[in-house]
Amino acid sequence: IGPAVIRIDTETDIERAVQIGERLESNNESNGQKPTEDEEGVLDSLPDRMKFIQQGQGSGVIFCDEGLVLTNAHVVQGASRVTVTLTDGRRFRAEVKGADDIVDIAVLKIVTSEEINGVSSGASQLPLPVAKFGDSDELRVGQFVVAVGSPGGLDNTVTMGIISGLKRSSEVVGLVHKKVDFIQTDAAINPGNSGGPLVDVEKGEIIGINTCIRANMEGTSFAVPINKAKAIVDDLAEGKHINHGYVGVSMASLTPDLARQNNADPNSPNGFIPEVNGVVITRVYPKTPAEVAGLRRLDVVIEIGGQQVERADDAQRLIDGASIGENLTMKVMRNGKELTVEVKPEVTQMNESLTYITI
């Protein structure tokens, strides 16, 4: 799989307003002094705006003979130019075909007709190495994996570890604006590894895309399951926008023990909460499908779309996978009674007070 793993270099054109002159003028005015002729000449020669190039680096993996590359969306976010480098030294321009920031997956297309750095045109006609997708649903904790990428520009670096955990929610990982149940591994991940593959040692297949590490925790990194990426990769390759459903609530997992602790407190601001396994709604946002449907704070959700839910992760996954604009049946407990509520999920959107309304 190594030859199919590439280094991705990005350049982003940035333009910012120049504030040096404004500071000099304000300093002179505060001191009661006028700018000298030399200072005026310097100020007049300064441009109003300054342009510079910001460089970035990450990893990716070729998964198609046509030169399609899978990587993280944050690796190429805002990039003005993208260059990929293969293990045999070939370098090509690449185009971003599509990106989904919520899942943090992007698809690039290698432009083989634009090989750079003076490599012969004949080399550009050589076939591209391709890696094979595996099945992340078959993973088990303790399974051996390797992470492949270009940390610090060290191409095709391989680190080995095991699957430390599965279905780690984005909230647990610390990426509250994402919608992914991450794979946790102790394979070493460093800056530059993002977008590279997590590989099943036994089968040599991609089972995840390395994405991030947990702050202040050594030996803990996370990857997007390959099945999550496979579900959207074709649409991204065609430049389509990926829609994710939301209903406009914040939720928390509920157990009978937690409910009993709340109910035993006579001063609890939450009132009585049903002592069941489920998901309690902690907030309903205004002007959202949840408010329109009549959901309320402290409703306990026990079923979504005919499937029982016991954790907030379950609810998020079911809502994210629901059809946009179609009724989604939710069973909730309110004041000791079981109610059925029909909610129509809408496309996830930005919110002024939150990064994203994720569910």
Side-chain angles (χ1 to χ4, degrees):
I1 198 171
V5 180
I6 60 176
R7 186 179 79 236
I8 299 174
D9 294 288
T10 63
E11 292 183 342
T12 304
D13 296 328
I14 297 178
E15 183 175 329
R16 291 181 179 172
V18 176
Q19 299 179 349
I20 298 175
E22 295 174 359
R23 290 199 298 269
L24 287 174
E25 288 178 336
S26 64
N27 286 337
N28 285 332
E29 289 175 359
S30 63
N31 295 330
Q33 300 176 355
K34 294 182 179 181
T36 65
E37 291 183 2
D38 290 340
E39 288 175 337
E40 285 183 342
V42 171
L43 295 177
D44 291 341
S45 65
L46 287 174
D48 293 332
R49 304 187 69 82
M50 183 176 292
K51 297 180 180 180
F52 61 96
I53 296 175
Q54 179 176 290
Q55 296 181 326
Q57 196 170 83
S59 303
V61 59
I62 304 171
F63 66 92
C64 174
D65 292 329
E66 298 177 354
L68 294 178
V69 175
L70 193 62
T71 186
N72 284 139
H74 74 260
V75 170
V76 295
Q77 185 175 24
S80 305
R81 290 168 295 280
V82 180
T83 303
V84 300
T85 304
L86 279 64
T87 56
D88 60 11
R90 286 183 290 169
R91 299 187 68 204
F92 299 97
R93 301 289 185 192
E95 299 175 347
V96 179
K97 301 298 291 183
D100 184 352
D101 294 330
I102 295 179
V103 179
D104 203 3
I105 289 294
V107 174
L108 315 181
K109 175 71 167 63
I110 295 177
V111 184
T112 54
S113 61
E114 295 187 17
E115 191 163 0
I116 58 179
N117 276 6
V119 181
S120 66
S121 59
S124 65
Q125 303 303 318
L126 295 175
L128 295 171
V130 177
K132 184 180 179 181
F133 290 153
D135 185 353
S136 54
D137 289 342
E138 295 182 352
L139 294 178
R140 61 188 185 279
V141 174
Q143 184 174 337
F144 284 101
V145 293
V146 294
V148 189
S150 302
L154 300 174
D155 296 347
N156 230 233
T157 295
V158 178
T159 56
M160 188 171 184
I162 63 170
I163 299 294
S164 308
L166 297 169
K167 295 185 178 180
R168 301 300 194 196
S169 70
S170 52
E171 286 81 4
V172 170
V173 174
L175 302 174
V176 295
H177 58 293
K178 305 298 181 186
K179 285 192 172 184
V180 180
D181 290 328
F182 289 94
I183 300 169
Q184 179 184 336
T185 176
D186 65 352
I189 300 295
N190 294 288
N193 268 117
S194 290
L198 188 67
V199 182
D200 179 349
V201 171
E202 295 180 359
K203 298 181 179 179
E205 297 174 341
I206 304 171
I207 46 86
I209 298 297
N210 301 315
T211 301
C212 64
I213 60 175
R214 183 71 177 271
N216 304 319
M217 289 183 64
E218 294 185 5
T220 306
S221 55
F222 300 92
V224 176
I226 198 62
N227 286 9
K228 184 72 171 181
K230 286 193 294 186
I232 61 175
V233 69
D234 290 338
D235 286 340
L236 291 178
E238 295 176 5
K240 295 180 180 178
H241 178 73
I242 308 300
N243 291 325
H244 296 272
Y246 91 107
V247 297
V249 297
S250 292
M251 293 182 174
S253 300
L254 178 70
T255 65
D257 287 340
L258 290 174
R260 278 192 288 269
Q261 290 177 22
N262 174 83
N263 298 336
D265 182 0
N267 298 314
S268 172
N270 297 323
F272 180 82
I273 297 178
E275 298 175 0
V276 297
N277 286 307
V279 178
V280 62
I281 296 177
T282 58
R283 183 177 179 182
V284 177
Y285 294 93
K287 299 180 181 180
T288 62
E291 183 186 53
V292 173
L295 289 173
R296 298 180 184 176
R297 179 177 176 272
L298 300 183
D299 281 351
V300 177
V301 182
I302 56 177
E303 189 176 294
I304 298 177
Q307 297 188 44
Q308 185 176 357
V309 295
E310 296 186 352
R311 302 184 306 164
D313 301 349
D314 300 331
Q316 176 175 314
R317 186 164 45 251
L318 291 171
I319 292 172
D320 185 40
S323 299
I324 306 297
E326 296 185 9
N327 282 334
L328 178 64
T329 302
M330 301 177 66
K331 287 187 178 180
V332 303
M333 294 193 68
R334 180 189 302 165
N335 298 326
K337 297 181 180 179
E338 185 176 302
L339 306 175
T340 299
V341 179
E342 299 287 342
V343 186
K344 288 185 177 182
E346 295 180 358
V347 177
T348 300
Q349 55 186 270
M350 295 295 292
N351 180 275
E352 294 181 357
S353 61
L354 301 173
T355 304
Y356 279 98
I357 298 177
T358 55
I359 56 177

